[in-house]
Amino acid sequence: MTTTEVAPPPVRTGDAPAVTVRGLVKRYGGTTVLDGLDLDVRRGECFALLGPNGAGKTTTIELLLGVLRRDAGTVSVLGEDPARAGRAWRARIGVVGQGEPAGQALTVRETLDHFAAYHAKARPTADLLDAVGLTDRAGVRVSGLSGGQRRRLAVALGVQGDPDLVFLDEPTTGMDPVARRRFWSLVRGLRDAGTTVLLTTHYLDEAAELADRVGVVSGGRLVDVAAPGELGAPLRRVTTVGWTEAGVRREVRTETPAAVLRDLLAARPHGEVPGLTVTRPTLEDVYLALVGATPGGDL
C-alpha cells in the first residue's frame, strides 16, 4: 500500500505555539500519572500523542481542556490557561472524546442540526455527513447506529464548529477501514485549512499517515518528539543483518551494515549469501523500544 506524502503546513514566524505545557503533574491518590510532562504543539500542525494504556494521554487532553485540575505545572492553550478560560476560548476548541457523542432519540441529521445552533459558525450538515461517511445513515436514530458509526458521529460533532484547535482522543476506534480513510481525509482538510490537531491514537499507521510530528509518552513524561520518519533517531541507526550459515540463522545488529555486507560477500566470492536480509527498525519497533514494551505486549 502506497502512503501519500502530504506537505506540512507553512509555519508562520513569530506564531506562539497552540499548546505549551511545562512540568505538568497529575496524581490520582498515590499514583502519579503525569510526572513533569513538557509539550509544545505548533499552530497549524497535526500532532499525534502515542503511549501505552495508562500512560496519561487522555489525562493530558482533559487537563488541556480544563476538565481536570492539575497538581503542578503550567499550561497555555491558544494563549490562555484552560483552568481559567471562558466561553469565547471554549468556542475555539473542538473535542472528540471516547464517550457517547449524543442522545439516542434523534436521527443523525437531526442531531447535527440541533448542535449546529450552538456554534457561531457551523459546518454544513451535508458536508459533515459526507466527510464521516454517514450520508446513508442520516435518517437513522442514533440508537440504531453501530459502535463505529457512533464514533463517526462523534467526529462530526467535534469538528462541527470549525474550531481553531481540535482534540481527537482515539477517534477511529471501532471504525472500519473505509471509514478510517474518510476520517483521515477529514483531518488533512482541517490541517490544510489551518486548524491545529492534537490526536491520540493506538494506530501507528494513523500517526504516520496524519501527523507532522509524533510524541511518545512513557512514565508520565514525553520521551521523544519528532516527525514520524525520524522518531527514535538513535534507534533507527541500528540495522539487523541476517543470513543462514551451515543451517543456522545468524544475525548482527550494527550501525554500519555496509561493512558487514562487504565482509559476508568477501567470504563468499563465488556464491550468494543464503537467507540474506537487511532490516531497519519500523515505526512500531521504535515505539516499542521507547515505551519499554515487547512485541505482542499490551499497547
Side-chain angles (χ1 to χ4, degrees):
M1 181 175 63
T2 301
T3 299
T4 303
E5 294 291 336
V6 180
V11 177
R12 293 171 293 180
T13 303
D15 277 354
V19 175
T20 301
V21 175
R22 294 292 180 269
L24 187 59
V25 176
K26 180 61 183 176
R27 304 182 186 91
Y28 292 102
T31 302
T32 300
V33 177
L34 298 176
D35 188 18
L37 183 138
D38 295 333
L39 173 66
D40 288 295
V41 178
R42 301 165 184 159
R43 291 184 186 266
E45 77 170 337
C46 179
F47 188 99
L49 201 59
L50 305 178
N53 289 331
K57 301 184 300 298
T58 297
T59 296
T60 298
I61 286 183
E62 291 176 342
L63 288 164
L64 297 180
L65 289 169
V67 175
L68 293 178
R69 185 182 297 276
R70 60 188 181 266
D71 293 302
T74 61
V75 177
S76 174
V77 177
L78 297 181
E80 297 193 41
D81 184 337
R84 297 190 293 271
R87 292 181 61 183
W89 175 86
R90 297 190 180 280
R92 302 170 62 197
I93 305 292
V95 183
V96 179
Q98 297 186 29
E100 287 293 327
Q104 308 292 305
L106 299 179
T107 67
V108 173
R109 181 182 287 108
E110 289 169 343
T111 299
L112 290 171
D113 287 343
H114 171 77
F115 283 100
Y118 290 87
H119 301 286
K121 179 177 62 173
R123 298 184 61 171
T125 294
D127 291 353
L128 286 170
L129 289 169
D130 180 65
V132 299
L134 286 177
T135 299
D136 62 344
R137 305 295 285 170
V140 176
R141 293 185 186 276
V142 175
S143 60
L145 299 179
S146 68
Q149 289 166 347
R150 293 186 190 191
R151 291 301 295 155
R152 297 189 223 174
L153 177 58
V155 171
L157 290 169
V159 302
Q160 186 176 35
D162 199 18
D164 294 330
L165 169 62
V166 61
F167 294 94
L168 304 174
D169 193 11
E170 306 285 353
T172 60
T173 300
M175 287 188 185
D176 60 52
V178 173
R180 285 183 73 210
R181 294 284 171 170
R182 282 200 179 104
F183 166 77
W184 290 358
S185 296
L186 175 63
V187 173
R188 290 192 201 99
L190 287 169
R191 192 202 65 173
D192 291 345
T195 303
T196 305
V197 179
L198 201 164
L199 165 75
T200 74
T201 181
H202 279 308
Y203 300 122
L204 298 180
D205 62 331
E206 188 161 272
E209 181 73 23
L210 295 177
D212 300 302
R213 293 189 303 145
V214 174
V216 177
V217 179
S218 182
R221 293 175 178 267
L222 207 61
V223 295
D224 199 9
V225 178
E230 300 171 1
L231 192 71
L235 299 170
R236 290 179 182 271
R237 289 198 292 267
V238 179
T239 299
T240 301
V241 179
W243 71 98
T244 302
E245 184 174 310
V248 178
R249 188 64 183 169
R250 301 186 182 280
E251 288 187 348
V252 172
R253 290 169 56 82
T254 176
E255 293 187 13
T256 57
V260 175
L261 292 172
R262 184 174 59 249
D263 292 344
L264 286 171
L265 293 170
R268 298 165 177 80
H270 304 297
E272 298 290 329
V273 180
L276 179 64
T277 58
V278 180
T279 308
R280 294 187 181 276
T282 64
L283 178 59
E284 180 176 352
D285 295 330
V286 171
Y287 168 79
L288 292 172
L290 288 171
V291 301
T294 55
D298 181 15
L299 296 185

